[in-house]
Amino acid sequence: MKAREIAFKILCDIEENNNYSNIAINKHFKNLKISNQDRGLATEIVYGVVENKYYLDYVINKLSKIKTQKLSICVKILLRMGIYQIAFLNSISDYAAVNETVNLVKKYDKRSSGFVNAILRNIIRNKDEILNVDIENDDIMYLSTKYSYSPWMIKNFINSFGKDFTEDLIEANNEKPSIYLRTNTLKITRDELIEKLKENGLKAYKVSIIDEAIRVENLKDIENNELFKEGLFTIQDISSMMASKVLNPKENSNALDVCSAP
Protein backbone atom coordinates (compact mmCIF):
# COMPACT_ATOMS: atom_id res chain seq x y z
CA MET A 1 0.00 0.00 0.00
CA LYS A 2 1.38 3.41 -1.01
CA ALA A 3 1.75 6.46 1.24
CA ARG A 4 -1.24 8.39 -0.09
CA GLU A 5 -3.62 5.45 0.27
CA ILE A 6 -2.46 4.91 3.85
CA ALA A 7 -3.01 8.61 4.55
CA PHE A 8 -6.49 8.37 3.00
CA LYS A 9 -7.48 5.45 5.23
CA ILE A 10 -6.17 7.21 8.34
CA LEU A 11 -8.05 10.43 7.48
CA CYS A 12 -11.25 8.44 6.89
CA ASP A 13 -10.82 6.86 10.33
CA ILE A 14 -10.39 10.32 11.89
CA GLU A 15 -13.38 11.79 10.04
CA GLU A 16 -15.79 8.88 10.49
CA ASN A 17 -14.90 7.85 14.04
CA ASN A 18 -13.77 11.18 15.55
CA ASN A 19 -10.49 9.45 16.28
CA TYR A 20 -7.41 11.36 17.44
CA SER A 21 -4.87 11.71 14.64
CA ASN A 22 -1.94 10.23 16.57
CA ILE A 23 -4.02 7.22 17.67
CA ALA A 24 -5.29 6.64 14.13
CA ILE A 25 -1.77 6.88 12.71
CA ASN A 26 -0.36 4.42 15.23
CA LYS A 27 -3.24 2.00 14.61
CA HIS A 28 -2.84 1.98 10.84
CA PHE A 29 0.97 1.88 10.89
CA LYS A 30 1.06 -1.05 13.31
CA ASN A 31 2.52 -4.14 11.64
CA LEU A 32 2.59 -2.31 8.30
CA LYS A 33 5.77 -2.88 6.30
CA ILE A 34 6.49 0.37 4.47
CA SER A 35 9.58 2.43 3.79
CA ASN A 36 10.51 5.37 5.97
CA GLN A 37 9.90 7.61 2.95
CA ASP A 38 6.30 6.39 2.54
CA ARG A 39 5.73 6.54 6.29
CA GLY A 40 6.98 10.12 6.35
CA LEU A 41 4.82 11.23 3.41
CA ALA A 42 1.69 9.58 4.82
CA THR A 43 2.25 11.23 8.20
CA GLU A 44 2.91 14.60 6.57
CA ILE A 45 -0.33 14.42 4.58
CA VAL A 46 -2.42 13.30 7.57
CA TYR A 47 -1.22 16.01 9.92
CA GLY A 48 -1.22 18.62 7.16
CA VAL A 49 -4.83 17.93 6.19
CA VAL A 50 -5.99 17.86 9.83
CA GLU A 51 -4.17 21.09 10.70
CA ASN A 52 -5.42 22.97 7.61
CA LYS A 53 -8.96 21.59 7.33
CA TYR A 54 -10.81 24.95 7.49
CA TYR A 55 -8.57 26.40 4.78
CA LEU A 56 -8.78 23.33 2.52
CA ASP A 57 -12.58 23.26 2.77
CA TYR A 58 -12.65 26.98 1.95
CA VAL A 59 -10.73 26.28 -1.28
CA ILE A 60 -13.06 23.39 -2.17
CA ASN A 61 -16.12 25.57 -1.58
CA LYS A 62 -14.66 28.26 -3.84
CA LEU A 63 -14.72 25.88 -6.79
CA SER A 64 -17.38 23.27 -6.14
CA LYS A 65 -21.12 23.77 -6.56
CA ILE A 66 -21.51 20.91 -4.08
CA LYS A 67 -20.27 22.28 -0.75
CA THR A 68 -18.10 20.22 1.57
CA GLN A 69 -20.91 19.37 3.99
CA LYS A 70 -22.77 17.68 1.09
CA LEU A 71 -19.78 15.81 -0.37
CA SER A 72 -19.18 12.16 0.46
CA ILE A 73 -16.45 11.61 3.06
CA CYS A 74 -14.34 9.80 0.46
CA VAL A 75 -14.41 12.63 -2.09
CA LYS A 76 -14.03 15.37 0.53
CA ILE A 77 -10.94 13.75 2.06
CA LEU A 78 -9.29 13.05 -1.30
CA LEU A 79 -9.90 16.65 -2.39
CA ARG A 80 -8.37 17.90 0.85
CA MET A 81 -5.35 15.65 0.28
CA GLY A 82 -4.85 16.81 -3.29
CA ILE A 83 -5.20 20.50 -2.44
CA TYR A 84 -2.87 20.16 0.55
CA GLN A 85 -0.15 18.70 -1.67
CA ILE A 86 -0.59 21.45 -4.27
CA ALA A 87 -0.70 24.29 -1.74
CA PHE A 88 1.86 23.18 0.85
CA LEU A 89 4.20 20.42 -0.38
CA ASN A 90 6.82 21.97 -2.63
CA SER A 91 8.60 18.61 -2.87
CA ILE A 92 5.67 17.14 -4.83
CA SER A 93 4.88 18.31 -8.37
CA ASP A 94 1.39 19.54 -9.12
CA TYR A 95 1.06 16.84 -11.78
CA ALA A 96 1.88 14.09 -9.29
CA ALA A 97 -0.52 15.51 -6.71
CA VAL A 98 -3.39 15.53 -9.23
CA ASN A 99 -2.56 12.20 -10.86
CA GLU A 100 -2.15 10.25 -7.61
CA THR A 101 -5.29 11.78 -6.09
CA VAL A 102 -7.42 10.99 -9.14
CA ASN A 103 -6.10 7.42 -9.17
CA LEU A 104 -7.33 6.99 -5.60
CA VAL A 105 -10.72 8.46 -6.48
CA LYS A 106 -11.03 5.95 -9.34
CA LYS A 107 -10.38 3.16 -6.83
CA TYR A 108 -12.80 4.30 -4.11
CA ASP A 109 -15.46 6.38 -5.93
CA LYS A 110 -14.93 6.05 -9.67
CA ARG A 111 -17.89 8.18 -10.74
CA SER A 112 -16.38 11.20 -8.93
CA SER A 113 -12.97 11.02 -10.64
CA GLY A 114 -13.85 13.60 -13.33
CA PHE A 115 -15.20 16.00 -10.71
CA VAL A 116 -12.06 15.75 -8.54
CA ASN A 117 -9.79 16.00 -11.57
CA ALA A 118 -11.56 19.19 -12.73
CA ILE A 119 -11.31 20.83 -9.28
CA LEU A 120 -7.59 20.10 -8.88
CA ARG A 121 -6.67 21.14 -12.43
CA ASN A 122 -8.62 24.36 -12.00
CA ILE A 123 -6.50 25.13 -8.93
CA ILE A 124 -3.28 24.53 -10.85
CA ARG A 125 -4.37 26.85 -13.69
CA ASN A 126 -5.25 29.69 -11.30
CA LYS A 127 -3.17 28.80 -8.25
CA ASP A 128 -2.39 32.26 -6.85
CA GLU A 129 -5.96 33.49 -7.15
CA ILE A 130 -7.74 30.35 -5.93
CA LEU A 131 -5.41 29.59 -3.02
CA ASN A 132 -5.67 33.16 -1.74
CA VAL A 133 -8.07 33.81 1.14
CA ASP A 134 -10.10 36.79 -0.08
CA ILE A 135 -12.38 37.39 2.90
CA GLU A 136 -12.62 41.15 3.42
CA ASN A 137 -13.89 43.25 6.33
CA ASP A 138 -13.96 40.30 8.73
CA ASP A 139 -10.64 39.83 10.51
CA ILE A 140 -11.90 36.91 12.58
CA MET A 141 -13.11 34.81 9.63
CA TYR A 142 -10.08 35.78 7.51
CA LEU A 143 -7.59 34.55 10.12
CA SER A 144 -9.77 31.57 11.08
CA THR A 145 -9.88 30.42 7.45
CA LYS A 146 -6.28 31.16 6.49
CA TYR A 147 -4.76 29.44 9.52
CA SER A 148 -7.56 26.92 10.29
CA TYR A 149 -8.37 28.07 13.82
CA SER A 150 -11.85 28.05 15.36
CA PRO A 151 -13.37 31.56 15.12
CA TRP A 152 -13.93 31.77 18.90
CA MET A 153 -10.19 31.32 19.47
CA ILE A 154 -9.32 34.05 16.98
CA LYS A 155 -11.88 36.37 18.56
CA ASN A 156 -10.38 35.81 22.03
CA PHE A 157 -6.83 36.30 20.72
CA ILE A 158 -7.72 39.56 18.96
CA ASN A 159 -9.52 40.88 22.04
CA SER A 160 -6.47 40.07 24.17
CA PHE A 161 -3.56 40.84 21.84
CA GLY A 162 -4.82 42.78 18.80
CA LYS A 163 -4.96 41.63 15.16
CA ASP A 164 -1.29 41.99 14.18
CA PHE A 165 0.08 40.10 17.19
CA THR A 166 -2.62 37.44 16.78
CA GLU A 167 -1.59 36.77 13.18
CA ASP A 168 2.08 36.56 14.18
CA LEU A 169 1.15 34.20 17.01
CA ILE A 170 -0.93 31.74 14.99
CA GLU A 171 1.47 31.83 12.03
CA ALA A 172 4.34 30.88 14.35
CA ASN A 173 2.20 28.23 16.01
CA ASN A 174 1.54 26.62 12.60
CA GLU A 175 5.24 26.17 11.86
CA LYS A 176 6.52 22.61 11.97
CA PRO A 177 8.31 22.01 15.28
CA SER A 178 11.73 20.42 15.51
CA ILE A 179 12.03 16.99 17.13
CA TYR A 180 13.95 16.95 20.40
CA LEU A 181 15.27 14.00 22.37
CA ARG A 182 15.95 13.90 26.09
CA THR A 183 19.00 11.76 26.81
CA ASN A 184 18.56 9.13 29.50
CA THR A 185 21.73 10.02 31.38
CA LEU A 186 21.32 6.98 33.64
CA LYS A 187 22.27 4.88 30.61
CA ILE A 188 24.32 7.06 28.27
CA THR A 189 25.88 10.51 27.92
CA ARG A 190 24.55 13.01 25.43
CA ASP A 191 27.77 12.93 23.38
CA GLU A 192 27.66 9.12 23.20
CA LEU A 193 24.02 9.20 22.12
CA ILE A 194 24.72 11.78 19.42
CA GLU A 195 27.42 9.50 17.99
CA LYS A 196 25.04 6.51 17.98
CA LEU A 197 22.35 8.59 16.26
CA LYS A 198 24.83 9.67 13.59
CA GLU A 199 25.86 6.04 13.08
CA ASN A 200 22.17 5.39 12.35
CA GLY A 201 22.20 8.01 9.61
CA LEU A 202 20.51 10.79 11.58
CA LYS A 203 21.52 14.41 11.94
CA ALA A 204 21.84 15.22 15.65
CA TYR A 205 22.77 18.48 17.39
CA LYS A 206 23.36 19.62 20.95
CA VAL A 207 20.89 22.12 22.41
CA SER A 208 22.82 24.64 24.46
CA ILE A 209 20.18 25.55 27.05
CA ILE A 210 19.47 21.97 28.24
CA ASP A 211 22.31 19.58 29.06
CA GLU A 212 20.38 16.45 28.05
CA ALA A 213 18.68 17.86 24.93
CA ILE A 214 19.38 16.81 21.34
CA ARG A 215 17.71 18.16 18.20
CA VAL A 216 17.35 15.55 15.45
CA GLU A 217 16.38 15.52 11.79
CA ASN A 218 14.89 12.68 9.71
CA LEU A 219 13.91 10.55 12.70
CA LYS A 220 11.15 8.19 11.48
CA ASP A 221 9.34 5.21 12.97
CA ILE A 222 10.47 6.14 16.47
CA GLU A 223 8.78 3.24 18.27
CA ASN A 224 10.86 0.74 16.29
CA ASN A 225 14.13 2.60 16.70
CA GLU A 226 16.62 0.34 18.51
CA LEU A 227 18.10 3.19 20.56
CA PHE A 228 14.60 4.14 21.70
CA LYS A 229 13.80 0.51 22.55
CA GLU A 230 16.97 0.40 24.67
CA GLY A 231 15.63 3.35 26.67
CA LEU A 232 18.48 5.67 25.72
CA PHE A 233 16.16 8.63 25.04
CA THR A 234 12.59 9.88 25.14
CA ILE A 235 10.88 12.37 22.84
CA GLN A 236 10.30 15.61 24.69
CA ASP A 237 9.97 19.24 23.70
CA ILE A 238 12.41 21.83 25.03
CA SER A 239 9.65 23.64 26.94
CA SER A 240 8.82 20.44 28.83
CA MET A 241 12.48 19.84 29.65
CA MET A 242 12.79 23.37 30.96
CA ALA A 243 9.88 22.83 33.35
CA SER A 244 11.81 20.22 35.32
CA LYS A 245 14.89 22.44 35.33
CA VAL A 246 12.90 25.35 36.74
CA LEU A 247 11.31 23.09 39.36
CA ASN A 248 14.81 21.86 40.30
CA PRO A 249 13.65 19.14 42.76
CA LYS A 250 16.00 18.25 45.60
CA GLU A 251 16.75 14.81 47.02
CA ASN A 252 13.75 13.29 48.89
CA SER A 253 11.36 15.95 47.54
CA ASN A 254 8.10 14.82 45.93
CA ALA A 255 6.98 15.99 42.48
CA LEU A 256 3.78 15.08 40.64
CA ASP A 257 3.90 15.16 36.84
CA VAL A 258 0.28 15.36 35.72
CA CYS A 259 1.06 15.59 31.99
CA SER A 260 3.49 12.73 31.74
CA ALA A 261 4.88 11.08 28.63
CA PRO A 262 6.18 7.52 28.98
Side-chain angles (χ1 to χ4, degrees):
M1 193 183 301
K2 293 184 178 180
R4 290 175 179 84
E5 188 168 9
I6 297 167
F8 169 69
K9 289 181 176 294
I10 294 170
L11 287 165
C12 285
D13 188 4
I14 294 168
E15 185 84 10
E16 293 170 347
N17 302 314
N18 291 319
N19 210 345
Y20 290 112
S21 54
N22 62 318
I23 294 174
I25 285 173
N26 290 336
K27 181 177 78 174
H28 286 268
F29 278 164
K30 191 175 183 181
N31 302 322
L32 193 63
K33 299 295 183 182
I34 58 172
S35 68
N36 282 338
Q37 184 175 1
D38 279 346
R39 184 183 294 267
L41 177 57
T43 302
E44 168 72 40
I45 292 174
V46 169
Y47 282 129
V49 167
V50 170
E51 291 168 0
N52 293 281
K53 187 167 74 170
Y54 285 8
Y55 170 73
L56 298 172
D57 285 357
Y58 167 80
V59 175
I60 294 171
N61 290 333
K62 255 187 170 184
L63 300 173
S64 174
K65 292 181 180 179
I66 308 171
K67 302 309 177 187
T68 51
Q69 60 265 32
K70 297 288 183 67
L71 291 172
S72 71
I73 288 177
C74 169
V75 172
K76 178 165 57 179
I77 287 173
L78 287 169
L79 275 172
R80 287 171 180 167
M81 288 173 56
I83 296 168
Y84 174 73
Q85 292 170 76
I86 293 169
F88 292 97
L89 294 188
N90 295 328
S91 59
I92 293 175
S93 70
D94 292 344
Y95 170 81
V98 174
N99 190 54
E100 293 294 334
T101 302
V102 171
N103 285 341
L104 280 174
V105 180
K106 288 178 179 177
K107 181 173 180 178
Y108 289 96
D109 189 351
K110 190 172 183 178
R111 63 191 175 88
S112 299
S113 59
F115 167 73
V116 171
N117 185 58
I119 293 285
L120 296 181
R121 292 194 180 280
N122 198 349
I123 293 172
I124 292 172
R125 284 193 295 269
N126 305 282
K127 189 184 289 188
D128 290 341
E129 178 184 345
I130 291 171
L131 295 180
N132 182 51
V133 177
D134 50 11
I135 298 174
E136 298 179 358
N137 304 318
D138 191 336
D139 292 340
I140 292 173
M141 289 311 301
Y142 171 78
L143 294 175
S144 172
T145 302
K146 183 176 180 180
Y147 296 101
S148 288
Y149 276 72
S150 296
W152 68 266
M153 293 182 70
I154 300 297
K155 182 178 180 181
N156 285 350
F157 285 157
I158 290 177
N159 288 340
S160 298
F161 308 121
K163 177 182 178 293
D164 291 340
F165 184 87
T166 293
E167 184 160 16
D168 289 342
L169 173 67
I170 58 181
E171 185 174 5
N173 201 38
N174 279 11
E175 292 177 359
K176 293 178 184 176
S178 298
I179 297 178
Y180 294 97
L181 313 182
R182 183 171 194 147
T183 309
N184 182 355
T185 54
L186 298 176
K187 292 189 173 184
I188 194 170
T189 67
R190 179 169 67 173
D191 288 343
E192 290 170 339
L193 180 56
I194 287 175
E195 288 306 311
K196 286 183 176 289
L197 291 166
K198 289 180 178 178
E199 289 169 7
N200 279 263
L202 299 172
K203 294 180 179 179
Y205 310 92
K206 293 181 180 179
V207 179
S208 60
I209 57 175
I210 302 289
D211 293 339
E212 303 91 344
I214 300 172
R215 181 173 64 84
V216 291
E217 296 177 9
N218 305 319
L219 179 59
K220 309 289 185 183
D221 196 13
I222 295 168
E223 290 182 348
N224 291 317
N225 182 282
E226 290 303 319
L227 301 178
F228 178 74
K229 287 181 176 180
E230 291 174 29
L232 301 185
F233 67 83
T234 53
I235 307 297
Q236 191 172 39
D237 195 66
I238 292 296
S239 58
S240 298
M241 296 188 209
M242 290 180 69
S244 62
K245 296 292 185 182
V246 171
L247 182 63
N248 192 25
K250 306 302 182 185
E251 186 175 359
N252 297 322
S253 62
N254 294 319
L256 176 63
D257 184 347
V258 295
C259 188
S260 180

